[in-house]
Amino acid sequence: MYGAVPGRTARPGAALSPATYLRRVMTDFFKYQALGNDYVVIDPRSTGLPVTPETVRLVCDRHFGIGADGVVHGPLADPRPGVPVPLALFNSDGSVCGRSGNGLRMFALHLADRDAGSWATGEPFTLRTTAGDSPVRILDRAAGTVQVGLGRPVFEAAALPLLNEDGTPAEGSTLSVPLTVGEQKLTVTALDNGNPHTVVPVDEPTPELARDLGPRIAGHARFPHRTNVQFLRVVSRGVLEIEVYERGAGYALASGSSACAAASAARQLGLCDERVEVRMPGGSVTVTLAADGSVTLTGEVRQVATGDFAPALRALLDRTPEAAR
Ligand SMILES: N[C@@H](CCC[C@H](N)C(=O)O)C(=O)O
């Protein structure tokens, strides 16, 4: 019998069958999705693939690679109970992002799937990204219900950052601020919850609107770091509906930090209660907005596939400029 899986086991020293051990340890990638927002997890304990902007773009390519909205690279240190587990998040265009409500929940499930142990017991643990620490919990492993805390959003221009029309740094609140996009005069609410978001209240969010106006806001000159964009309809004080255009990934069927951003903006504008259902094309999540402003996201996450890169793809991944260095 094989020994404990590096990092975690169901019980310290528990043995695994050879097939299970190899499947868990010698796999190139683990793919997950949260309401259709899909990520590929690259675990350095299983593969030596260099994770660079170039390899991320190829892995995420839906024709020449595995296909995904982004990549989660981790754990970047040996996971130990009670110690924040570091990881890196990438959008499909290869850009790094500070936080991903869905990506963090998928990685939490990956730790439980691959390593079991305390990751799978429902006890909270902490994941660490460039945007800080995020508490996660697997509430129901069978149903794939995973929760993440995204902290308190910031509605300040300097946090985004947001510029004035003349290019100078804007200051103050970002609640209901004017934004001119081509011929359109919009009133938007911008915020940072570990990544930048711009919430646009509309009568009817549609995929067409998100695909047309989304990129023009996401890349607007007033957002030097670009921004994620949500088109928001308030159905009731307990139900929001959004369409999402993501910075670095484009139109998305769902987005965790976007759902939290839309709920936080609606709450700040007095349009929703402290617990809301956020409906997206891929499905619904629950966002809880605590009195101290902290935001918690709960929803379904599922594993899609695990597998190995075919030799031809692996050769391309190993030949990317950064990998060749
Ligand atoms: N899909 C993610 C957000 C991914 C990061 C975002 N595109 C950014 O660049 O900030 C989520 O579920 O939060």
Side-chain angles (χ1 to χ4, degrees):
M1 297 299 274
Y2 280 62
V5 173
R8 303 291 313 156
T9 59
R11 294 181 311 285
L16 296 168
S17 70
T20 301
Y21 180 83
L22 288 175
R23 188 169 60 248
R24 285 191 185 182
V25 174
M26 306 301 287
T27 298
D28 283 344
F29 69 87
F30 306 80
K31 184 169 178 183
Y32 289 81
Q33 60 85 12
L35 306 181
N37 184 211
D38 54 349
Y39 279 69
V40 169
V41 175
I42 305 287
D43 188 321
R45 299 171 297 175
S46 301
T47 175
L49 176 75
V51 178
T52 67
E54 184 69 25
T55 57
V56 166
R57 283 191 288 271
L58 183 50
V59 166
C60 291
D61 189 295
R62 296 193 184 279
H63 302 286
F64 298 100
I66 306 301
D69 289 330
V71 162
V72 184
H73 185 212
L76 302 179
D78 182 37
R80 287 180 289 124
V83 177
V85 182
L87 59 102
L89 296 161
F90 297 84
N91 290 309
S92 56
D93 71 350
S95 58
V96 174
C97 49
R99 187 168 267 148
S100 164
N102 286 342
L104 289 166
R105 295 185 301 129
M106 292 182 225
F107 185 72
L109 192 57
H110 166 66
L111 287 180
D113 288 344
R114 184 187 184 282
D115 305 340
S118 60
W119 318 112
T121 61
E123 289 301 308
F125 54 97
T126 301
L127 300 180
R128 177 164 289 174
T129 63
T130 55
D133 289 353
S134 302
V136 289
R137 280 184 71 185
I138 297 174
L139 299 180
D140 184 335
R141 183 87 180 282
T145 308
V146 186
Q147 186 175 80
V148 63
L150 293 188
R152 281 194 294 276
V154 179
F155 295 84
E156 287 293 327
L160 273 287
L162 177 66
L163 303 181
N164 294 311
E165 294 288 353
D166 64 4
T168 58
E171 295 177 353
S173 169
T174 51
L175 279 177
S176 298
V177 296
L179 181 69
T180 300
V181 183
E183 300 302 312
Q184 299 191 57
K185 306 282 187 191
L186 306 174
T187 298
V188 304
T189 290
L191 61 111
D192 182 277
N193 62 10
N195 37 18
H197 296 272
T198 300
V199 182
V200 187
V202 294
D203 294 334
E204 187 187 0
T206 64
E208 294 73 21
L209 176 65
R211 293 179 192 276
D212 173 53
L213 196 48
R216 292 190 284 153
I217 298 173
H220 197 285
R222 294 189 61 192
F223 298 105
H225 293 182
R226 299 187 291 172
T227 181
N228 299 286
V229 187
Q230 301 82 31
F231 297 92
L232 165 67
R233 180 168 81 96
V234 180
V235 178
S236 69
R237 292 192 61 83
V239 180
L240 307 177
E241 178 187 348
I242 64 173
E243 285 279 359
V244 176
Y245 188 90
E246 278 206 357
R247 173 183 71 164
Y251 179 77
L253 296 177
S255 168
S257 58
S258 286
C260 292
S264 300
R267 185 71 174 153
Q268 285 291 319
L269 296 170
L271 302 175
C272 74
D273 293 335
E274 67 278 4
R275 179 186 170 93
V276 288
E277 174 193 349
V278 181
R279 295 175 180 167
M280 297 170 278
S284 294
V285 295
T286 300
V287 177
T288 306
L289 305 134
D292 68 358
S294 59
V295 182
T296 303
L297 164 70
T298 305
E300 181 180 281
V301 174
R302 291 296 188 186
Q303 188 178 70
V304 174
T306 65
D308 297 321
F309 301 120
L313 177 59
R314 186 61 198 247
L316 283 176
L317 289 166
D318 289 339
R319 264 212 316 269
T320 56
E322 292 88 348
R325 286 190 193 128

